[in-house]
Amino acid sequence: MKNECSKNMAPVFSKELAEITAKHPCYSFDAHHKFARMHLPVAPKCNASCNYCNRKYDCVNESRPGVTSEVLTSEMSLAKFIRVKEEIPHLSVVGIAGPGDALANWQSVKRSIEFIKREAPDMIFCLSTNGLMLPHYSQEIIDLGIKHVTVTVNCLDPTIGAKIYHHINYQDKYYVGKVAAEILIRNQLEGIKLLADEGVLVKVNIVMIKGVNDGHITDVVKKVKSLGALMTNIMPLIPASGSVFHDFPQTSMKDVNAMRDLCQIDISQMRHCQQCRADAIGLLTEDQSYKYRNTTKPEVKKCKLRASV
Ligand code: CLF
Ligand code: SF4
């Protein structure tokens, strides 16, 4: 089936937002060979424990397991941004996709975005989250002008959720099993609606785990659509070594694509996801992050001064 990522966009949002989104390499298939994104690895902590995750790696909700990113302060992220923007003029998106959860590190995420926004107001800002803290931060996300948010929703049923999530840390309490899944799912769904009602373009990532949630994905898709999500990105489980699911079979792309075809009836499907690193830089298909891992002290010092103005 041909890619139809942007097919349903026009009736959903304004001309201005459509023009911006046409430059977003994840939301627009046509943009992904032309425009680059830069991830800021400013979010090391996580407030959940997904059974497909090994925290030595980046957040598996967006990333392929097997690589670990550096972690930057907000000042360092500004310094890195300035360098990358000079060298990659077709950079259109600055995103936060881990290595933990963006909203479990909200203050440093927010600060980094504020710094970069001052430097380059035309950048598109983008977040990826497990959604646990969305009801708490959705207003701040909206106020910051972020128009693109990805939420990973793997199920609607807490019984299935208890097989996918080991625990969450929420409002200074530790929850496990079905109770943890119930809180997480409730907050994910509430957060999607809060954002979508305010015109934020919500993409929902779903990790397809054979024998766990694969029979339930069409329900997830229908539900998030009813809440206002724009598209879904169904991703294969890639078992991370050291994770609870390390001996699960990797979900085949044949199965993932068949599920995408089924769900295409309800909502646009992203089909070009590269499951990027939390510090990915460049075109989706041409990661250049290895060139930019040595932000120097003088660069950071210069940015501290610049950020404090
Ligand atoms: Fe990054 Fe994610 Fe924003 Fe894209 S990635 S925060 S929406 S700018 Fe894109 Fe990479 Fe797939 Fe993510 S290809 S892992 S969907
Ligand atoms: Fe890992 Fe991401 Fe899940 Fe946190 S939200 S446990 S970083 S996969």
Side-chain angles (χ1 to χ4, degrees):
M1 183 174 278
K2 81 184 176 70
N3 191 287
E4 297 182 32
C5 287
S6 52
K7 196 180 171 185
N8 296 340
M9 283 179 177
V12 185
F13 48 91
S14 69
K15 189 166 168 264
E16 192 196 353
L17 191 49
E19 279 170 13
I20 295 170
T21 302
K23 294 185 187 166
H24 193 307
C26 302
Y27 280 68
S28 163
F29 178 77
D30 292 339
H32 92 283
H33 284 302
K34 296 181 209 146
F35 292 97
R37 53 83 184 89
M38 168 183 190
H39 283 167
L40 308 176
V42 293
K45 291 179 282 184
C46 191
N47 46 19
S49 178
C50 307
N51 286 335
Y52 44 71
C53 183
N54 174 347
R55 292 304 323 283
K56 277 198 289 190
Y57 306 134
D58 293 334
C59 176
V60 182
N61 289 336
E62 282 269 302
S63 316
R64 189 177 289 275
V67 285
T68 318
S69 303
E70 59 178 352
V71 172
L72 301 181
T73 63
S74 302
E75 285 79 5
M76 286 162 86
S77 74
L78 174 61
K80 190 169 175 178
F81 168 80
I82 290 168
R83 193 172 146 214
V84 170
K85 182 69 187 130
E86 271 167 17
E87 292 177 24
I88 307 183
H90 53 287
L91 180 73
S92 64
V93 176
V94 170
I96 289 105
D101 184 73
L103 301 185
N105 302 266
W106 178 241
Q107 293 316 322
S108 89
V109 167
K110 189 175 163 195
R111 236 170 132 237
S112 306
I113 292 175
E114 283 169 345
F115 286 168
I116 294 174
K117 227 176 155 183
R118 259 186 261 159
E119 186 69 33
D122 291 341
M123 272 297 129
I124 302 169
F125 293 95
C126 188
L127 290 183
S128 164
T129 175
N130 61 30
L132 180 62
M133 295 307 288
L134 266 184
H136 301 268
Y137 293 126
S138 61
Q139 194 54 51
E140 289 190 49
I141 291 170
I142 292 159
D143 293 345
L144 207 51
I146 298 171
K147 295 285 188 195
H148 299 83
V149 175
T150 295
V151 189
T152 300
V153 182
N154 295 313
C155 59
L156 305 174
D157 178 347
T159 310
I160 297 176
K163 294 180 191 162
I164 301 175
Y165 309 106
H166 180 266
H167 66 258
I168 60 165
N169 285 304
Y170 182 58
Q171 296 184 315
D172 299 324
K173 285 199 183 139
Y174 178 83
Y175 298 89
V176 290
K178 227 169 135 179
V179 180
E182 239 163 44
I183 297 168
L184 179 60
I185 295 164
R186 185 190 67 212
N187 285 10
Q188 289 169 339
L189 301 182
E190 190 185 328
I192 291 170
K193 180 151 172 51
L194 285 167
L195 293 175
D197 283 353
E198 293 298 323
V200 175
L201 304 184
V202 179
K203 172 165 75 62
V204 170
N205 283 0
I206 304 169
V207 182
M208 181 173 170
I209 311 156
K210 292 276 278 181
V212 177
N213 71 343
D214 53 340
H216 182 56
I217 288 179
T218 51
D219 297 334
V220 175
V221 167
K222 285 184 205 309
K223 180 67 182 177
V224 299
K225 185 193 176 178
S226 76
L227 298 172
L230 178 73
M231 65 168 73
T232 58
N233 173 20
I234 302 167
M235 308 154 84
L237 170 76
I238 302 174
S241 81
S243 71
V244 176
F245 287 169
H246 72 101
D247 58 355
F248 276 46
Q250 177 160 341
T251 312
S252 72
M253 284 318 291
K254 186 169 167 270
D255 289 341
V256 169
N257 283 326
M259 186 60 73
R260 288 171 176 167
D261 290 350
L262 196 62
C263 295
Q264 179 78 53
I265 298 161
D266 288 307
I267 198 165
S268 289
Q269 297 297 303
M270 180 176 186
R271 292 171 185 269
H272 59 287
C273 179
Q274 301 295 317
Q275 293 182 261
C276 329
R277 307 166 54 97
D279 65 353
I281 292 173
L283 297 176
L284 296 190
T285 49
E286 237 178 69
D287 184 45
Q288 299 188 53
S289 55
Y290 63 94
K291 292 184 190 166
Y292 298 99
R293 292 216 181 97
N294 55 348
T295 310
T296 62
K297 279 187 183 159
E299 278 176 317
V300 176
K301 200 172 164 201
K302 206 167 86 192
C303 284
K304 273 189 182 156
L305 291 172
R306 216 150 150 174
S308 65
V309 176

